[in-house]
Amino acid sequence: MRRVLITRLTAMGDVAMTAPIVAAVCKANPDVAFDVLSTPFFRPFFESLPNLRFIGTDIRKQKNGLRALWALFRNLKNGTMPDAPLPQGETYDTVIDLHDVLRTKVLRTLFRLSGAKVFAIDKGRADKKRLISGARRVQLKPMTERYADVFRKAGFAVPSEPNFRPKEPIHSILSHQPKGNERWIGVSPFAQHRGKMYPTDRMAKVLDILLQHPDVRVFLFGGGDKEKRRATDLANGRDRCHVMIGVMSLADEMSLMSNLDVMLSMDSSAMHVSSLYGVRVVSLWGQTHPYAGFLGYRQSPDDCVQRADLTCRPCSIFGNKPCRYADFRCFDIAPEVVASKVLEAHN
């Protein structure tokens, strides 16, 4: 049996974006065995396919750099990874690098030298630089399509139809709260960088507008203690607004997201995780722009809330640049506009 190693180590949103493409390829190529190498936390993105295995690695945390990569390569090559040993006599004949960073470049080079065929993603870095410089502001190829291109180059069939996961059973912590006729709205109000995060005081007003509707229940998503504290402040005093940060595992959060009517998200991982289930996402964009190719899988540009009147955006691919005006005017978007789009998306 042909065996293929797929590498995509970080980050959460990017790894989630690979999941529907990997799943589609696995289903279209059932006679091929695929292994995904990624951060252990992301295992739930790649479960429930018979010809797909997940291999967890914390290689980023290793201090001895090249030596750790060499050890990882030897374990993968010899089939001695503790959580995913290879059958006797099997090895990887193909390596697909969906990350294209220094670690995966070293790893794929070692595999190439050992005789494996290697294929790597073209991230379109030059096009992205032209986009944020203002030299060429056009829609770039979606990242999901770039992932699919790598598999096509390697000779695999990639179906064109959407590959969505079915809804999943809701975690027992919510079993006392049947959905009934309620509108369940997910809100992921945080992002790693300021240039991707709608101001918290405005988001509070968005929540107030949404919760004026008695059939609306809001679930706040995020990660880490800092975001949990901020989400708790947002939820305080607001009935039918629940903080889900630190309450359940990633797999259980995904189950809840699969049952949402709509997700309100920044340009962040919640958009991509929700997209795995075909949940409609209203996304807020500041310094970044859907043109860069990071819109959620099969999401509509019509559900993107952004300022189209600013010639200064997009000014960043990752939202990590200082604002040239120091006021992040790209997020000067009225809460009423955001809330209206969310409520409209459910109807």
Side-chain angles (χ1 to χ4, degrees), residues 86-122:
L86 292 181
Q88 184 68 33
E90 287 194 18
T91 189
Y92 297 107
D93 56 80
T94 304
V95 174
I96 294 181
D97 183 1
L98 299 182
H99 203 168
D100 195 38
V101 294
L102 182 58
R103 291 181 182 87
T104 58
K105 287 178 180 178
V106 171
L107 199 58
R108 79 186 190 219
T109 298
L110 292 172
F111 271 105
R112 180 186 287 116
L113 293 174
S114 72
K117 295 179 180 179
V118 171
F119 302 87
I121 187 172
D122 174 8

Side-chain angles (χ1 to χ4, degrees), residues 28-142:
N29 301 271
D31 57 337
V32 180
F34 295 92
D35 287 355
V36 173
L37 180 72
S38 189
T39 304
F41 183 70
F42 303 140
R43 181 181 296 273
F45 295 151
F46 301 100
E47 293 184 331
S48 303
L49 288 169
N51 58 331
L52 177 65
R53 298 191 311 170
F54 182 86
I55 304 176
T57 178
D58 281 321
I59 190 67
R60 291 191 313 139
K61 297 180 180 179
Q62 300 291 329
K63 295 181 179 180
N64 50 352
L66 289 175
R67 185 179 300 176
L69 279 171
W70 173 253
L72 176 61
F73 163 72
R74 294 296 298 170
N75 282 330
L76 290 166
K77 176 68 176 174
N78 297 330
T80 55
M81 291 295 290
D83 62 342
L86 292 181
Q88 184 68 33
E90 287 194 18
T91 189
Y92 297 107
D93 56 80
T94 304
V95 174
I96 294 181
D97 183 1
L98 299 182
H99 203 168
D100 195 38
V101 294
L102 182 58
R103 291 181 182 87
T104 58
K105 287 178 180 178
V106 171
L107 199 58
R108 79 186 190 219
T109 298
L110 292 172
F111 271 105
R112 180 186 287 116
L113 293 174
S114 72
K117 295 179 180 179
V118 171
F119 302 87
I121 187 172
D122 174 8
K123 290 185 173 181
R125 291 185 173 97
D127 287 338
K128 289 182 172 69
K129 286 182 180 178
R130 285 193 287 270
L131 175 66
I132 62 175
S133 72
R136 192 164 182 264
R137 288 200 169 110
V138 296
Q139 178 65 58
L140 303 183
K141 181 180 290 188

Side-chain angles (χ1 to χ4, degrees), residues 10-262:
T10 59
M12 185 171 177
D14 297 287
V15 177
M17 288 182 78
T18 69
I21 306 304
V22 170
V25 172
C26 288
K27 291 176 181 176
N29 301 271
D31 57 337
V32 180
F34 295 92
D35 287 355
V36 173
L37 180 72
S38 189
T39 304
F41 183 70
F42 303 140
R43 181 181 296 273
F45 295 151
F46 301 100
E47 293 184 331
S48 303
L49 288 169
N51 58 331
L52 177 65
R53 298 191 311 170
F54 182 86
I55 304 176
T57 178
D58 281 321
I59 190 67
R60 291 191 313 139
K61 297 180 180 179
Q62 300 291 329
K63 295 181 179 180
N64 50 352
L66 289 175
R67 185 179 300 176
L69 279 171
W70 173 253
L72 176 61
F73 163 72
R74 294 296 298 170
N75 282 330
L76 290 166
K77 176 68 176 174
N78 297 330
T80 55
M81 291 295 290
D83 62 342
L86 292 181
Q88 184 68 33
E90 287 194 18
T91 189
Y92 297 107
D93 56 80
T94 304
V95 174
I96 294 181
D97 183 1
L98 299 182
H99 203 168
D100 195 38
V101 294
L102 182 58
R103 291 181 182 87
T104 58
K105 287 178 180 178
V106 171
L107 199 58
R108 79 186 190 219
T109 298
L110 292 172
F111 271 105
R112 180 186 287 116
L113 293 174
S114 72
K117 295 179 180 179
V118 171
F119 302 87
I121 187 172
D122 174 8
K123 290 185 173 181
R125 291 185 173 97
D127 287 338
K128 289 182 172 69
K129 286 182 180 178
R130 285 193 287 270
L131 175 66
I132 62 175
S133 72
R136 192 164 182 264
R137 288 200 169 110
V138 296
Q139 178 65 58
L140 303 183
K141 181 180 290 188
M143 287 302 297
T144 48
E145 189 61 22
R146 291 185 184 276
Y147 293 139
D149 283 345
V150 188
F151 288 102
R152 295 189 185 104
K153 290 177 186 176
F156 295 109
V158 184
S160 58
E161 62 270 15
N163 185 79
F164 295 127
R165 296 187 182 193
K167 287 185 179 181
E168 299 181 5
I170 300 175
H171 189 271
S172 59
I173 196 170
L174 294 172
S175 60
H176 68 286
Q177 183 60 57
K179 185 175 182 182
N181 293 322
E182 286 187 340
R183 288 184 282 181
W184 282 14
I185 298 175
V187 177
S188 182
F190 309 113
Q192 185 176 2
H193 302 295
R194 172 67 182 85
K196 293 171 70 171
M197 194 171 80
Y198 191 60
T200 304
D201 59 335
R202 296 191 180 195
M203 183 58 76
K205 294 178 181 178
V206 172
L207 294 180
D208 287 336
I209 298 170
L210 295 177
L211 291 167
Q212 285 175 4
H213 298 264
D215 63 334
V216 165
R217 188 171 298 276
V218 172
F219 300 92
L220 299 179
F221 295 92
D225 292 338
K226 181 178 178 181
E227 290 187 2
K228 183 173 184 176
R229 289 192 297 270
R230 296 171 74 176
T232 300
D233 289 340
L234 277 173
N236 279 343
R238 293 183 170 91
D239 292 337
R240 294 173 281 111
C241 186
H242 310 276
V243 177
M244 307 315 296
I245 304 171
V247 172
M248 53 181 67
S249 67
L250 174 60
D252 291 328
E253 280 194 7
M254 290 171 63
S255 297
L256 173 56
M257 286 185 186
S258 76
N259 287 275
L260 296 175
D261 293 293
V262 62

Side-chain angles (χ1 to χ4, degrees), residues 20 27 162-166 274-279 297-299:
K27 291 176 181 176
N163 185 79
F164 295 127
R165 296 187 182 193
S274 300
S275 298
L276 295 178
Y277 299 96
V279 173
Y297 178 66
R298 302 282 177 165
Q299 295 293 340

